[in-house]
Amino acid sequence: MVVNLAVVGAGMRGLRYAREAVRTGSGRVVAVAEPDPERRRAFAAEFGVPADGVFVGWAELAAVDRLADAVVIATQDRMHAGPAVAFARLGYHILLEKPMAPEEEDARAIVAAVRESKVIFAVGHVMRYTPYTRAIRGVLDSGVLGRLASVQHLEPVGWWHQAHSFVRGAWRRADESGPMLLTKSCHDMDWLLHIVGLRPARVSSFGSLSHFRPENRPENAGERCVDCAAEPGCPYSATRLYLGCLGDPSAEFWPLSAVTTDPTPSGVIAALTTGPYGRCVYACDNDVVDHQVVNIEFEGGVTASFTMTAFTPMEHRRTRLFGSHGHLEGDGRTIRVVDFRTGVEEQIDAYAGGASMAGGHGGGDEGLTAAFLAAVAAGDQSVLECDPDEALDGHLLTWAAERARETGTVQAL
């Protein structure tokens, strides 16, 4: 069965899922809703969407007879709940980009709607669907580690990625999108629940916006990188970053396409002269944290620590699992397993692409899209190995961790 898809939001995530569906032959794009006229036109042209399948907004698409088997919802974070509830009630199966919603009430409303309508539902927790994750789960299921005692998990956001998305970009302010732990790391919370396989009992968290603040601005810094005396020695130079994307198709797709639709030197400079991505990182209106730790105690006493930090290269997550009979550590590419009983070490190659959006999130974009389309074709939620309540659980853990950080308390779950 080829699944007919409607895509709401023709930005980078909507494009990524649509391209994966079409590439494999498992999906066909028949409708798009996108307010930006240039993105709407380009998307419709790329996928051959007929004129009667092109809409300015999701409400217009929802107002006509159902055009597709499923819908991909890839709007901005605060625009998820309305279309998700509406399309669930119309009988569309749903692939919803993460996070589900910035507020718990909206996320619960989405789950209630998909439960009531009995539609297939997936959240863009792409980390669940990488070969790396499947390999780690395979090691755990084999029993070689014995009883799991604790987990360390690091998300190396990357210095330039923090500046791009969370200082200059669309996820820089909690009131416009959400706290960084939600917008960037809710799928890390989901991943930890998926790997540990137990209910979380308590959580604490600490973190702040420590560096990207006005008081850290060099004395000779300008308002924009294009006319800044400090730019040549600044690690967050927008001029260096975005001009450096030119000629690289992956980098032109992301991050450059968020900056300009004109991938030429003059197009980049024009965008940096007038647009948000050319601003000094010490003179933006950002307020989300640039580093955070989360400590989790699970039922049965298993513990996990998660660190998210801007101050790294942008790389795959790094994880260590500590068990009674063995040890595992991985870097998103290779997994090392040590068996305490024999002293034998095993190396597992689990590389399936780069860590970024341009690299397909280590095979996660491909894996999630394939699983969603297979679930829709079979009419079986279990193909996704995640039900709507499980998808919500990672968000609930994230919100509890944020409450813990903001109040300096340990939160029970």
Side-chain angles (χ1 to χ4, degrees):
M1 172 185 174
V2 177
V3 176
N4 287 330
L5 290 171
V7 176
V8 175
M12 288 175 285
R13 297 307 292 151
L15 269 172
R16 188 72 188 185
Y17 292 130
R19 286 172 176 170
E20 280 296 331
V22 171
R23 182 187 66 81
T24 62
S26 299
R28 178 190 303 114
V29 180
V30 299
V32 61
E34 167 57 52
D36 182 276
E38 177 57 29
R39 283 184 175 176
R40 185 172 64 247
R41 182 205 61 76
F43 188 97
E46 177 174 343
F47 296 101
V49 179
D52 60 0
V54 179
F55 300 87
V56 172
W58 69 264
E60 289 84 354
L61 172 58
V64 303
D65 291 339
R66 191 168 65 139
L67 297 180
D69 304 304
V71 60
V72 174
I73 299 174
T75 56
Q76 285 295 312
D77 300 347
R78 291 190 175 273
M79 299 172 63
H80 284 180
V85 170
F87 285 111
R89 290 173 176 166
L90 291 169
Y92 284 84
H93 305 295
I94 296 172
L95 170 53
L96 176 64
E97 181 52 15
K98 65 88 185 167
M100 291 171 64
E103 308 295 341
E104 182 177 338
E105 180 181 2
D106 286 338
R108 289 191 181 277
I110 293 169
V111 171
V114 300
R115 286 289 193 194
E116 180 180 353
S117 303
K118 297 181 172 60
V119 296
I120 305 298
F121 179 68
V123 174
H125 287 148
V126 294
M127 290 173 59
R128 278 181 174 250
Y129 298 94
T130 64
Y132 176 74
T133 298
R134 296 190 186 281
I136 290 178
R137 285 297 301 267
V139 172
L140 281 167
D141 293 344
S142 75
V144 68
L145 299 185
R147 180 186 179 276
L148 184 64
S150 59
V151 180
Q152 290 180 344
H153 186 58
L154 168 68
E155 179 176 12
V157 176
W159 82 96
W160 65 264
H161 184 201
Q162 181 81 23
H164 172 76
S165 295
F166 306 102
V167 178
R168 297 174 172 127
W171 295 273
R172 69 191 183 278
R173 292 185 60 86
D175 61 349
E176 294 182 2
S177 55
M180 187 157 176
L181 191 67
L182 181 71
T183 61
K184 184 69 179 80
S185 305
C186 69
H187 54 181
D188 291 277
M189 299 296 102
D190 173 79
W191 191 86
L192 287 168
L193 296 181
H194 180 59
I195 290 297
V196 174
L198 297 169
R199 299 289 304 176
R202 297 190 298 170
V203 62
S204 65
S205 183
F206 307 91
S208 65
L209 173 58
S210 64
H211 183 69
F212 300 99
R213 304 169 62 92
E215 58 265 35
N216 293 321
R217 185 178 181 179
E219 289 185 8
N220 59 341
E223 292 295 319
R224 290 182 172 272
C225 294
V226 293
D227 55 8
C228 176
E231 180 273 328
C234 179
Y236 307 103
S237 164
T239 310
R240 183 188 312 117
L241 169 59
Y242 298 117
L243 287 176
C245 292
L246 296 175
D248 180 342
S250 292
E252 288 185 359
F253 172 68
W254 187 83
L256 188 60
S257 65
V259 178
T260 180
T261 57
D262 179 10
T264 64
S266 60
V268 171
I269 294 300
L272 300 186
T273 301
T274 60
Y277 291 95
R279 294 178 295 175
C280 174
V281 293
Y282 305 106
C284 293
D285 59 341
N286 57 302
D287 63 9
V288 300
V289 302
D290 53 27
H291 68 290
Q292 187 167 355
V293 297
V294 179
N295 300 306
I296 309 162
E297 181 181 55
F298 292 87
E299 293 177 353
V302 176
T303 57
S305 64
F306 168 71
T307 298
M308 178 281 299
T309 180
F311 309 109
T312 65
M314 186 181 176
E315 298 176 337
H316 284 286
R317 272 77 167 175
R318 297 175 182 269
T319 307
R320 292 176 175 174
L321 305 184
F322 305 93
S324 60
H325 288 52
H327 170 79
L328 177 153
E329 58 183 319
D331 60 4
R333 307 171 64 98
T334 303
I335 299 166
R336 172 177 172 250
V337 182
V338 180
D339 187 330
F340 298 161
R341 295 164 295 186
T342 64
V344 171
E345 295 192 15
E346 178 186 7
Q347 297 280 343
I348 302 171
D349 182 6
Y351 182 68
S356 73
M357 187 184 307
H361 294 114
D365 291 348
E366 177 183 352
L368 171 59
T369 306
F372 175 68
L373 294 174
V376 171
D380 185 355
Q381 177 78 36
S382 69
V383 173
L384 284 158
E385 300 182 32
C386 181
D387 66 25
D389 293 305
E390 289 179 89
L392 177 62
D393 284 343
H395 292 71
L396 297 177
L397 176 58
T398 302
W399 286 314
E402 271 299 286
R403 290 194 299 272
R405 183 183 71 85
E406 291 172 350
T407 62
T409 61
V410 176
Q411 294 282 311
L413 292 105

